[in-house]
Amino acid sequence: MNVATFKYVLWAFGPAIDAFRLRQPVISVDGCHLKGSYKGKLLVVVTKDANNNILPLSYAIVDEESSHSWCWFFYQLRHFVAQDRQLCVISDRHQGIIHAMENLQEWKKPLAYHRFCLRHIRCNFMKRWGILTTNISESMNNVLRGARHLPIRACIDLTFNKTLQLFRKHSNVAMNYNTPLPSRMWRLFCNRDTRAQSHNLTKFDHNGGVYRIVTKLRINGTGGNTHTVHYFQQTCTCGKWKMERFPCSHALSVCRYRGDNPLSIVNNVYSTMTYKHQYNSAFVPLSHLDYWLESDWKILEDYSKLSVHQGRRRSNRFRNEMDIRHPDEPRKCGLCHQPGHNRRNSSNSQPRYNAM
C-alpha cells in the first residue's frame, strides 16, 4: 500500500473539544489493536473532566502504529482539537509517538511537553496536574474492547454511541448538583477542610503569605509533620497544591486563618459550573455512509485471526513495571478479588449442574 496516499479515519467530538478547553492541559494518548478480521489500530486521546472522570476527546483508525500514522494523528489533533493550547502529553514509549513529538513543529516546546519515563516524571513531578500515567487511556481502550471486534463502520458507530451515552450520563448527573464542586472533588475538599481545622499554624510573614503548619499527632503515631505554605504563590512543601491545583489541608488551614473563602483558592477547572459546561453541548449525528467521502485505501483482512489457536493467545504489548506482580503480593480471586482462594472454591461462584 502506498503510504504517501494512505488515508485514515478520524472522528473528534465537538462537545468533547469544547469541554477540553475548560479542563487541565494534560492528555493521554494510546493505541490498541482491532480484534476482528481486519488489520488496523485504534488510537485514542483522553483527558479528565472537572469531577476527575475520564473524558474522551478524539479517536482514529489507522493501518499501523507507525511514525507516519502517529504524525498524521497528532497533526489532526492539534488542528481540530488542541489548536493553540499548551499541553502535556502522557504516553507510552512507542517510537511513532516519540518521532511525532520530536519532529512536528506544533508539538514542540513551549506548545507541548512529552512525558513518559520515570526519570522525566520525577524531574517534573510538581507540574503534571496529578496525572502521571497512561491509565486513563488504557481504561478507555478497555471500554472500547467490544467495538474493536467489529467491522470498521460498526466500530465507529459503537464508539460514537458509547461516547454519546457517556456525555448524556454526566450531563444528567451534573445538572442535579447543588454543591460548588462536583461530588468527588467536593468530598475531597470537605475531607481536607476538616483536617485543616486540627492543624497548628504559626505565622512567619503575614504580608508575604508564609506560614508553618504542624499536623495533628494521631494515636497511631502518624501525623506531627511540618509543612511550609507560601500562600500567594499557591505552594506547599507537601506538593499537592501545586501538582493538583487543588488546595491541600495545610493551604486550607492558612485560608481559614486569613478569613478568605476556601473555595477561592480552588482552581476553576474543578468547579460544578465547569463540569456542567463540559457536558452541556449537543452532539451532531454521524452522517449516513452514502455521504462519506470516497477513500482510496482499504484495511486488509487478517486471515490469521480466523484460525483456531491452542491455549491463550500471546500478547503483543510491551510489558512494564505495572504488569509485574510483587512476589510478596498474594494472588486474588478473579470473582471477589479477595486473597486466599481462587475462582473454583470462591463462595461467589455459581454451582454447576450436570445434564440429566
Side-chain angles (χ1 to χ4, degrees):
M1 185 175 296
N2 186 358
V3 176
T5 60
F6 191 89
K7 294 182 180 179
Y8 305 106
V9 178
L10 170 80
W11 61 107
F13 301 104
I17 298 172
D18 295 335
F20 170 61
R21 297 193 181 102
L22 301 170
R23 188 46 177 141
Q24 48 187 248
V26 180
I27 62 174
S28 177
V29 299
D30 196 21
C32 55
H33 296 268
L34 297 180
K35 298 295 186 179
S37 58
Y38 297 91
K39 292 182 178 179
K41 302 293 173 61
L42 176 65
L43 310 183
V44 299
V45 181
V46 297
T47 184
K48 287 189 175 182
D49 63 19
N51 199 28
N52 228 25
N53 298 309
I54 296 175
L55 174 64
L57 295 176
S58 180
Y59 306 95
I61 293 180
V62 300
D63 57 343
E64 286 292 341
E65 285 191 74
S66 61
S67 296
H68 181 270
S69 62
W70 273 114
C71 285
W72 171 86
F73 183 58
F74 274 106
Y75 175 80
Q76 306 295 331
L77 183 64
R78 173 62 74 180
H79 180 72
F80 290 105
V81 181
Q83 298 179 355
D84 58 350
R85 188 171 190 193
Q86 190 181 52
L87 295 174
C88 172
V89 179
I90 307 293
S91 76
D92 57 20
R93 297 181 292 273
H94 195 281
Q95 292 300 315
I97 301 177
I98 297 174
H99 176 82
M101 295 297 298
E102 291 179 348
N103 292 276
L104 293 180
Q105 191 64 35
E106 59 269 22
W107 287 99
K108 293 183 178 180
K109 298 178 182 178
L111 274 178
Y113 295 84
H114 187 205
R115 298 289 180 262
F116 52 87
C117 71
L118 291 179
R119 179 172 61 86
H120 287 116
I121 292 176
R122 185 171 64 248
C123 294
N124 299 275
F125 186 75
M126 299 303 177
K127 302 178 181 179
R128 298 285 72 83
W129 287 75
I131 301 178
L132 305 178
T133 70
T134 61
N135 285 351
I136 57 175
S137 53
E138 295 284 356
S139 298
M140 184 55 61
N141 289 342
N142 187 59
V143 171
L144 300 175
R145 181 183 299 176
R148 289 154 54 191
H149 289 271
L150 301 174
I152 303 303
R153 171 63 201 230
C155 176
I156 295 174
D157 282 335
L158 182 57
T159 305
F160 182 86
N161 290 331
K162 277 183 172 291
T163 307
L164 177 61
Q165 294 173 8
L166 177 70
F167 269 71
R168 188 166 59 241
K169 169 189 172 183
H170 286 292
S171 178
N172 294 334
V173 171
M175 292 303 134
N176 294 322
Y177 281 146
N178 54 9
T179 54
L181 306 177
S183 59
R184 186 175 298 176
M185 308 312 297
W186 181 244
R187 289 195 300 269
L188 178 62
F189 176 84
C190 293
N191 185 28
R192 291 183 178 181
D193 193 34
T194 301
R195 295 205 311 269
Q197 299 175 26
S198 63
H199 295 339
N200 183 17
L201 182 147
T202 303
K203 178 175 61 176
F204 277 82
D205 183 1
H206 184 77
N207 294 329
V210 181
Y211 300 85
R212 185 182 70 177
I213 301 294
V214 180
T215 61
K216 181 181 178 181
L217 185 63
R218 301 183 179 89
I219 299 177
N220 58 5
T222 61
N225 302 312
T226 302
H227 297 281
T228 302
V229 175
H230 293 265
Y231 188 70
F232 296 127
Q233 286 75 33
Q234 295 191 341
T235 61
C236 177
T237 51
C238 72
K240 294 179 181 179
W241 197 5
K242 184 176 181 179
M243 181 180 67
E244 301 173 356
R245 275 68 167 183
F246 197 88
C248 56
S249 61
H250 320 117
L252 290 172
S253 179
V254 174
C255 186
R256 293 284 188 184
Y257 174 81
R258 295 179 62 92
D260 297 338
N261 182 2
L263 292 172
S264 65
I265 62 174
V266 178
N267 196 292
N268 287 332
V269 300
Y270 296 109
S271 69
T272 298
M273 188 60 64
T274 298
Y275 188 44
K276 291 180 179 179
H277 283 317
Q278 286 175 333
Y279 295 100
N280 188 24
S281 299
F283 269 77
V284 178
L286 287 173
S287 59
H288 191 272
L289 184 62
D290 295 340
Y291 296 96
W292 288 20
L293 296 177
E294 292 293 332
S295 60
D296 57 0
W297 63 276
K298 179 181 180 182
I299 294 184
L300 303 178
E301 297 86 351
D302 188 358
Y303 292 105
S304 63
K305 294 183 178 179
L306 300 179
S307 59
V308 179
H309 293 268
Q310 297 295 331
R312 178 178 295 179
R313 192 182 295 271
R314 185 175 181 179
S315 174
N316 293 324
R317 71 185 296 270
F318 294 102
R319 299 180 66 83
N320 55 33
E321 64 279 356
M322 293 186 293
D323 300 306
I324 302 175
R325 185 177 63 88
H326 193 276
D328 296 333
E329 180 183 356
R331 293 185 178 275
K332 297 181 180 180
C333 173
L335 294 177
C336 62
H337 305 289
Q338 298 297 321
H341 60 272
N342 53 28
R343 286 174 174 265
R344 293 183 177 180
N345 50 17
S346 173
S347 59
N348 294 333
S349 60
Q350 299 294 328
R352 296 183 178 180
Y353 299 97
N354 296 327
M356 297 300 294

